[in-house]
Amino acid sequence: MSNNTTSNGRLIMAIVAVVTGILSIFLIPKLGIPAMDTILKAVYMKIAQTGKPDLISAAKIVSFFFPFWISLCMASGIILILLGHPLYKGDKWARPIALALLSFPAITGAYMFGPVIFFAKGLVVNALIIALIGLIPYAIILLTEKSSLTDKLENFGVFFLLGVLAAYNFTNGHSSLRMLMGRADSSFWNTEYFAYALGIPAEWLGVVLILIGIPLLAAKLKAGWWLCTSGLLCMLVGTTLFQLGAPSAWFSVGIAMTLANLVLLFTPRISKRLTNQEDQAIPPLGNTYSA
């Protein structure tokens, strides 16, 4: 990404950042907290009806991660409002940070889909709105770059997939953690159990690396390329383990998206532009030293 924009583009980014910041501070908690409350009530009601205490793991995870992600969205909203002025002035450092902050609402909404669909289907729209609060501005800021249409589309593909995969893999880790915590008894220690146990750390490490890597890659730093690539490889390992333990089309789609993102990042033309290298693109994995 060149992070060069027109005056109209800078104005659009500034407005988008401020509006998204306000929505993140005030609307996301208003949508997320009732969803959490409804889910927790449904979980305990289901435990009473079915007598399955293993469902208590769902309540524990939701009661931690819903407030965790909502608070991250609110904090990112404050910073997005403050970024309005630097974005309008055209400070190049502000755009990568804005992209990273917008990933929080996107991940929050995507993560909420699983628990909401399972325990509170009537509130699916809440999760959708929260996800869109992050995804729409994320896409707008990606497309405001002053560059060729080809470059815009390539950048959009790389960064949009990175954001989607961060949300997708955190959600996978969450649902797998619930399954893992609900199978603490040794009678459930089978291939599926160990696939979850080994896959969750890989998935969530990948999410952390991607979240750190997105702003660095957007700033055209080589470290961003390595962090994002490493994160994708971690996610690939985790999703493959889930697929081996509990085969599903859902995991197959995740593997396909991860491979597509890796192909984009390893494409010489794209890696060269994203890391500001004039002479050569990032080489494939292997020895980069010459004799």
Side-chain angles (χ1 to χ4, degrees), residues 47 68 235:
I47 292 173
F68 174 80
M235 292 174 174

Side-chain angles (χ1 to χ4, degrees), residues 40 44 55-65 181:
L40 291 175
Y44 286 112
L55 287 173
I56 196 67
S57 61
K60 290 180 179 179
I61 297 171
V62 166
S63 62
F64 174 79
F65 279 116
M181 291 175 65

Side-chain angles (χ1 to χ4, degrees), residues 31-287:
L31 295 172
I33 293 173
M36 180 183 71
D37 183 59
T38 302
I39 290 168
L40 291 175
K41 288 177 180 176
V43 169
Y44 286 112
M45 185 179 296
K46 196 160 188 175
I47 292 173
Q49 292 173 347
T50 62
K52 293 182 178 179
D54 58 299
L55 287 173
I56 196 67
S57 61
K60 290 180 179 179
I61 297 171
V62 166
S63 62
F64 174 79
F65 279 116
F66 267 61
F68 174 80
W69 283 106
I70 290 172
S71 65
L72 282 181
C73 289
M74 295 174 70
S76 67
I78 294 170
I79 302 173
L80 282 167
I81 292 173
L82 296 176
L83 281 177
H85 187 243
L87 286 168
Y88 181 67
K89 287 197 307 177
D91 292 344
K92 291 186 178 182
W93 58 266
R95 195 162 176 260
I97 293 175
L99 283 174
L101 293 171
L102 290 169
S103 65
F104 290 127
I107 292 175
T108 302
Y111 149 66
M112 287 182 177
F113 268 108
V116 167
I117 289 174
F118 196 76
F119 295 107
K121 290 183 180 179
L123 296 177
V124 169
V125 68
N126 290 36
L128 177 61
I129 291 172
I130 292 173
L132 292 177
I133 287 173
L135 286 174
I136 292 176
Y138 189 84
I140 291 173
I141 288 182
L142 281 174
L143 295 173
T144 54
E145 183 180 42
K146 186 180 179 181
S147 60
S148 69
L149 179 60
T150 301
D151 288 352
K152 282 185 179 181
L153 291 176
E154 288 175 350
N155 289 341
F156 182 83
V158 169
F159 284 93
F160 196 77
L161 270 178
L162 286 172
V164 167
L165 283 167
Y168 171 92
N169 285 279
F170 181 82
T171 303
N172 281 350
H174 171 272
S175 58
S176 300
L177 181 61
R178 191 196 75 77
M179 298 297 292
L180 187 66
M181 291 175 65
R183 298 184 176 193
D185 189 284
S186 61
S187 61
F188 292 105
W189 292 358
N190 52 24
T191 301
E192 185 176 352
Y193 175 90
F194 286 105
Y196 290 142
L198 297 173
I200 292 169
E203 293 274 70
W204 283 356
L205 175 60
V207 172
V208 172
L209 293 175
I210 292 294
L211 290 177
I212 298 172
I214 284 175
L216 297 179
L217 186 63
K220 304 188 74 172
L221 296 177
K222 191 173 181 180
W225 187 94
W226 286 105
L227 284 168
C228 288
T229 303
S230 300
L232 289 171
L233 291 172
C234 288
M235 292 174 174
L236 184 61
V237 169
T239 309
T240 302
L241 284 168
F242 293 157
Q243 177 72 342
L244 292 174
S248 165
W250 174 260
F251 296 137
S252 297
V253 170
I255 291 171
M257 287 195 298
T258 306
L259 290 173
N261 210 346
L262 284 168
V263 168
L264 287 173
L265 284 173
F266 273 100
T267 299
R269 164 187 161 81
I270 297 174
S271 65
K272 182 178 180 178
R273 189 179 68 254
L274 288 177
T275 54
N276 202 26
Q277 297 180 90
E278 299 298 331
D279 299 323
Q280 64 177 33
I282 291 180
L285 294 176
N287 186 12

Side-chain angles (χ1 to χ4, degrees), residues 1-62:
M1 295 178 69
S2 68
N3 288 314
N4 292 322
T5 54
T6 63
S7 58
N8 287 336
R10 293 194 294 272
L11 177 61
I12 290 171
M13 286 194 297
I15 293 173
V16 165
V18 172
V19 171
T20 305
I22 293 171
L23 293 176
S24 297
I25 295 170
F26 297 105
L27 184 57
I28 289 179
K30 189 174 181 179
L31 295 172
I33 293 173
M36 180 183 71
D37 183 59
T38 302
I39 290 168
L40 291 175
K41 288 177 180 176
V43 169
Y44 286 112
M45 185 179 296
K46 196 160 188 175
I47 292 173
Q49 292 173 347
T50 62
K52 293 182 178 179
D54 58 299
L55 287 173
I56 196 67
S57 61
K60 290 180 179 179
I61 297 171
V62 166

